[in-house]
Amino acid sequence: MNEMVTIPREEYDRLRAAAEDLVDLQSYDRATARLAAGEDELIPADYADRLLNGESALRVYRDLRGLTQAALAKKSGVKRVTVAEIETGRKQGSIATLRALAAALGVSLDDLTE
């Protein structure tokens, strides 16, 4: 048996808006929890803009971490020349190389390749 409830349109619209607000609050709570747990990080707007403008993700994350190419090379075990070639787009880098660089930068492989 179908039960039906009739309410004024204004009340319906108010309830829908409240439900949408609840979804937004739940998303905010999940994002805040990921940040607090260290599962996510906030990226300053100027670095995010560089990524959105198509600059090499490797270069942006290296700069964000305050590393030189030489320091990143030493930390990752990848040659400095290879770091430079990947940053400039002359080489793509193997999966193993990109994984090593991502690990040294504390980002995911997807962060460097998307």
Side-chain angles (χ1 to χ4, degrees):
M1 174 174 254
N2 289 336
E3 292 186 36
M4 197 168 178
V5 175
T6 304
I7 59 173
R9 179 63 182 210
E10 291 169 358
E11 181 67 7
Y12 171 79
D13 290 341
R14 187 189 67 73
L15 290 171
R16 292 226 1 153
E20 289 174 8
D21 289 346
L22 178 60
V23 169
D24 291 343
L25 288 170
Q26 290 169 332
S27 294
Y28 172 82
D29 288 343
R30 284 191 301 273
T32 302
R34 285 193 308 270
L35 286 170
E39 298 169 4
D40 255 338
E41 72 175 305
L42 296 176
I43 298 176
D46 54 330
Y47 291 94
D49 287 342
R50 290 170 60 186
L51 291 168
L52 292 172
N53 289 330
E55 188 173 338
S56 163
L58 179 60
R59 179 181 295 138
V60 173
Y61 283 108
R62 179 179 60 75
D63 287 347
L64 180 63
R65 301 295 188 246
L67 298 171
T68 63
Q69 288 180 347
L72 177 58
K74 183 176 181 180
K75 187 173 182 179
S76 65
V78 173
K79 293 180 181 180
R80 192 211 54 82
V81 172
T82 302
V83 172
E85 290 174 333
I86 294 170
E87 283 187 358
T88 59
R90 284 189 294 247
K91 287 190 177 178
Q92 289 184 341
S94 69
I95 295 296
T97 297
L98 293 173
R99 276 194 182 122
L101 292 167
L105 292 168
V107 299
S108 71
L109 181 59
D110 287 342
D111 288 332
L112 294 184
T113 59
E114 290 185 342

